[in-house]
Amino acid sequence: YKHGGHRYSRLRNRCMPSTMRKSTHLVRKAHIATDATYEALGIKRTDKKDKDQAQARAAMGVALCKYLSHTNACKPLGRDRSTISTYVYKHDDNMKYWSGYAQKYNVARGICEIHMHGAARDYDISVIDRQISQYQKKINELQLEKKKLSS
């Protein structure tokens, strides 16, 4: 596969944040989602490389990529963005062949959806509301200027 036409590109950078503030907001939510996932899985978060830790990190990394770039998805996990890319690259095979991974991914995906989807949507709505308010203010100013010119 050529660069950019990778078979896993559908998982990469979906729903990329449009502003720095949004990404900061979502990274905070991602930390909460990561902690909730470890708690739901009954795994104490460590830096060890045992199977449960590795699977939990990989599952969270892939689940977070639906809402964050690789650069931002790596932050709550304490890993490099290239590690997130590896998680995404190996995801389909891990789902099929790595015993226990699919269950951890499904938990991570569900928790991310709860924490991240609403946060992304709410943030986008607040940005749109602010833009509407700014445009309405500008419309009012232009209507007042038009009225002054007409009289």
Side-chain angles (χ1 to χ4, degrees), residues 91-104:
H91 175 67
D92 287 346
D93 285 342
N94 288 345
M95 288 292 282
K96 292 177 193 169
Y97 305 115
W98 200 9
S99 178
Y101 174 82
Q103 181 263 339
K104 289 176 182 72

Side-chain angles (χ1 to χ4, degrees), residues 1-7 9 12-13 70 81 85:
Y1 298 94
K2 292 179 184 174
H3 181 66
H6 196 272
R7 65 182 170 148
S9 63
R12 244 185 303 160
N13 300 333
H70 292 188
R81 70 172 175 75
S85 296

Side-chain angles (χ1 to χ4, degrees), residues 116-142:
M116 303 297 291
H117 179 72
R121 183 196 62 232
D122 292 348
Y123 186 87
D124 289 342
I125 289 171
S126 72
V127 168
I128 291 169
D129 284 343
R130 278 195 301 271
Q131 289 174 336
I132 289 171
S133 177
Q134 290 168 352
Y135 288 131
Q136 191 60 53
K137 183 178 177 183
K138 187 65 175 171
I139 289 169
N140 292 342
E141 290 172 3
L142 291 171

Side-chain angles (χ1 to χ4, degrees), residues 14 25 36-37 42 46-47 50 54 59 82 86 88 91 94 97-99 120 126-127 141-142 144:
R14 210 180 314 162
H25 176 73
T37 300
T46 68
D47 248 3
D50 64 82
S82 63
T86 301
V88 171
H91 175 67
N94 288 345
Y97 305 115
W98 200 9
S99 178
S126 72
V127 168
E141 290 172 3
L142 291 171
L144 182 62

Side-chain angles (χ1 to χ4, degrees), residues 1 4 6 8-9 13 16 24 30 34 37 39 53-54 61 63 66 72 77-78 99 103 107 134 150:
Y1 298 94
H6 196 272
Y8 297 101
S9 63
N13 300 333
M16 284 289 295
T24 302
T34 301
T37 300
E39 187 176 328
Q53 290 292 328
K66 181 175 181 185
N72 286 321
L77 300 173
S99 178
Q103 181 263 339
V107 170
Q134 290 168 352
S150 297

